[in-house]
Amino acid sequence: MTTVIERDQLFVGGRWRNPASGERIEVRSPHDQRQVASVPLAVEADADAAVGAARAALDGGDWAATTGKDRAEVIRRVSAGLQARAEELAGLVTDEMGSPAKFSLFGQAIAPAMVLDGYAELAERFPFEERRAGLVGPVLIQKVPVGVAVGIVPWNVPIFLACMKLGAALAAGTPIILKPPPEAPVSSFLLAEVLLDAGLPAGAVSILPGGADLGRYLVAHPGVDKVSFTGSSAAGRTIGATCGQLVRRCTLELGGKSAGIILDDADLATVVPQLLDSGLQNNGQVCAAQSRILAPAVRYNEIVDALADHVRGLVVGDPRDPATDVGPVVSGRQRDRVEGYLADGMASGARLLVGGGRPAGLDAGFYVEPTLFADVENTSRIAREEIFGPVVTVIRYRDTDEAVAIANDSDYGLSGSVWTADTDRGVAVASRIRTGTCAVNSVAVVEPRSPFGGFKQSGIGREMGPEGVEAYLETRTVVLPFG
Ligand code: NAD
């Protein structure tokens, strides 16, 4: 019997406050549907209070008076706080959304701290003011906070994605209101405790767990200047449309259908486990997952056999078990979605190599077997749409030009990878892929200190790196007297 976590207050304007309503979010484990937590649901009045506190911080509060160096120290304290509580944090995320313990400690707790450390370094050396020569005389180029920001976070890697937004906003000196999703709100309360311990000035950060209604309210709120959204393309389009209507700054990170290209000289013993780890990690619920594997015709059967052997050996089960490779998907709704794609794949003529159903003995949870389809046509739905579950497709190609063409024949353009014995060849191929990130012989398909974001339907804008900080800044030119 594990205890149910109860939270009674919300983190509004950097302080714990009683919620405006008595509505609650009941969180259940996707493994066995036991109750994990009960937390307050934030409502519009909480959002108004958070926006008010953020505006006060912007218009002359302590936060407005800080330098990049000051903010770097705050970010480092937040990072240290997350690292000190990494196991607890990882356990919360595993319980709330089913991420396997094997992935959680690094992906859900340590990696967010690494992202913050990157932002701390940037805050210290970012050129917030620069003197340049204009046409008629000298000018000062100033980078100032964009205003009040809202960060809308999905459930798959909730703290990592929150920190991609939080770290950039803190570095820029931009107050931010984070909205964690109702599927995974529990870990955000620990993040709030860490923020409080880090000594953040009032108003700089609020955390308001809630659903799409609250998200919509915040996106259109008259006191908000910038929206950073990660999630589905459908929600992203609506949010982008609202922001366009309001001429509101907007960053969209909308997922992908990334290709892992195995070149004909690759060493399969090292490639196969890494590539499948990327395709199936977090139960296949990663926006940058390498969910299309492109295999050369000359080694096709050998590659397909090696991939199938590896998937057959994966351990499926309780995400809290350190031996588990693949746990449940987040919800019944998500499992229905994934199963729809499985049926579609089978009807498309693709060859089902492993999986395709529900694993035996795990009926209480939202489990889908890790599934591998071979002989997939790049025109089929399972090759084109983001499944967001443990499903990987294998597509055959004849030569490198065709591999590049297939990888690029996608509505998405988020990430990708190239696997080869020859790094130069890998870089040459990676440089032809129309995605925001492409890794060579590496599983770092999201690089925690480098700009991350999408070409095409994968989104607009970048997070992390200097480009990520820029997204939370406005540029002002002060023209100085000449002569
Ligand atoms: P979603 O896009 O509906 O929700 C993501 C976040 O946005 C949540 O916090 C949600 O409350 C909020 N939201 C939803 N609609 C909104 C709106 N109109 N305005 C403001 N906020 C809104 O994602 P989901 O329903 O949780 O998952 C559906 C699909 O989205 C998944 O199957 C997957 O394909 C995709 N997804 C992608 C990512 C990613 O990292 N790119 C993450 C999660 C989900």
Side-chain angles (χ1 to χ4, degrees):
M1 232 326 260
T2 17
T3 36
V4 174
I5 296 167
E6 293 271 349
R7 293 282 188 169
D8 294 320
Q9 292 191 302
L10 289 172
F11 193 69
V12 179
R15 304 287 174 260
W16 290 113
R17 292 193 195 176
N18 290 330
S21 107
E23 289 184 68
R24 315 272 304 165
I25 305 173
E26 308 298 334
V27 181
R28 295 192 170 274
S29 159
H31 164 62
D32 55 8
Q33 299 189 49
R34 84 189 150 80
Q35 188 172 10
V36 168
S38 172
V39 303
L41 173 82
V43 298
E44 293 181 1
D46 300 305
D48 293 340
V51 172
R55 289 235 75 89
L58 193 68
D59 303 333
D62 291 347
W63 196 228
T66 55
T67 64
K69 264 193 163 46
D70 298 332
R71 297 195 294 271
E73 280 173 27
V74 170
I75 298 170
R76 287 207 173 88
R77 288 200 294 274
V78 178
S79 166
L82 288 183
Q83 289 173 61
R85 300 181 66 181
E87 288 196 10
E88 189 188 346
L89 178 59
L92 289 178
V93 181
T94 289
D95 282 353
E96 65 187 345
M97 58 67 63
S99 184
K102 220 180 229 181
F103 174 76
S104 270
L105 186 60
F106 181 76
Q108 308 275 16
I110 304 285
M114 289 164 69
V115 167
L116 292 176
D117 289 341
Y119 281 125
E121 276 173 27
L122 282 167
E124 229 158 23
R125 60 184 162 82
F126 196 89
F128 290 105
E129 190 164 281
E130 194 188 328
R131 199 179 163 100
R132 293 187 199 162
L135 185 63
V136 291
V139 293
L140 273 185
I141 307 299
Q142 298 175 330
K143 302 279 181 178
V144 298
V146 69
V148 172
V150 165
I152 296 180
V153 179
W155 43 262
N156 58 328
V157 262
I159 298 300
F160 183 79
L161 296 170
C163 285
M164 277 165 72
K165 302 177 193 311
L166 171 70
L170 291 177
T174 291
I176 186 163
I177 298 156
L178 293 171
K179 192 203 75 64
E183 295 86 349
V186 191
S187 49
S188 71
F189 286 80
L190 187 151
L191 175 63
E193 287 175 358
V194 167
L195 286 164
L196 197 62
D197 291 347
L200 217 58
V205 183
S206 293
I207 302 183
L208 303 179
D213 286 350
L214 182 69
R216 271 188 286 272
Y217 183 73
L218 282 165
V219 168
H221 199 291
V224 167
D225 302 282
K226 153 93 194 176
V227 176
S228 176
F229 169 78
T230 303
S232 64
S233 301
R237 280 192 193 96
T238 311
I239 290 167
T242 305
C243 288
Q245 203 64 40
L246 296 168
V247 196
R248 186 156 290 178
R249 281 86 188 119
C250 184
T251 303
L252 301 174
E253 200 274 87
L254 308 179
K257 193 73 190 179
S258 299
I261 305 176
I262 303 179
L263 295 184
D264 52 13
D265 60 354
D267 170 30
L268 293 191
T270 51
V271 172
V272 164
Q274 293 191 72
L275 196 46
L276 283 172
D277 180 49
S278 170
L280 296 170
Q281 84 182 347
N282 206 26
N283 316 327
Q285 301 165 133
V286 172
C287 54
Q290 310 293 284
S291 52
R292 288 186 295 157
I293 294 182
L294 274 47
V298 285
R299 295 183 70 189
Y300 187 75
N301 292 337
E302 179 197 358
I303 290 173
V304 163
D305 289 348
L307 292 167
D309 279 352
H310 187 84
V311 176
R312 280 190 203 102
L314 295 174
V315 178
V316 183
D318 186 344
R320 284 177 299 176
D321 184 337
T324 292
D325 295 304
V326 179
V329 296
V330 70
S331 62
R333 184 176 72 124
Q334 190 66 9
R335 182 172 61 180
D336 291 347
R337 236 182 85 98
V338 175
E339 288 181 339
Y341 282 108
L342 294 180
D344 217 90
M346 289 182 233
S348 74
R351 181 158 52 108
L352 179 68
L353 288 172
V354 190
R358 295 183 184 183
L362 291 164
D363 301 339
F366 304 121
Y367 283 88
V368 178
E369 286 178 315
T371 299
L372 190 64
F373 282 108
D375 306 350
V376 174
E377 293 295 331
N378 199 47
T379 47
S380 65
R381 271 185 79 212
I382 56 167
R384 303 204 75 79
E385 296 180 19
E386 186 177 51
I387 298 175
F388 234 62
V391 184
V392 172
T393 56
V394 189
I395 302 171
R396 185 197 310 252
Y397 71 84
R398 281 186 305 271
D399 55 28
T400 309
D401 284 348
E402 192 181 36
V404 170
I406 295 170
N408 286 336
D409 178 15
S410 174
D411 295 336
Y412 290 111
L414 189 62
S415 190
S417 58
V418 182
W419 302 83
T420 170
D422 177 347
T423 306
D424 290 344
R425 188 180 172 210
V427 173
V429 174
S431 305
R432 298 172 64 193
I433 306 302
R434 305 260 320 148
T435 57
T437 301
C438 192
V440 178
N441 293 334
S442 169
V443 288
V445 289
V446 179
E447 209 297 307
R449 295 204 176 175
S450 308
F452 178 72
F455 283 35
K456 303 186 268 182
Q457 298 289 309
S458 287
I460 297 175
R462 293 293 178 270
E463 299 192 272
M464 302 192 293
E467 293 81 359
V469 178
E470 281 277 359
Y472 289 82
L473 293 166
E474 282 286 9
T475 302
R476 179 166 57 216
T477 299
V478 178
V479 180
L480 301 173
F482 56 94

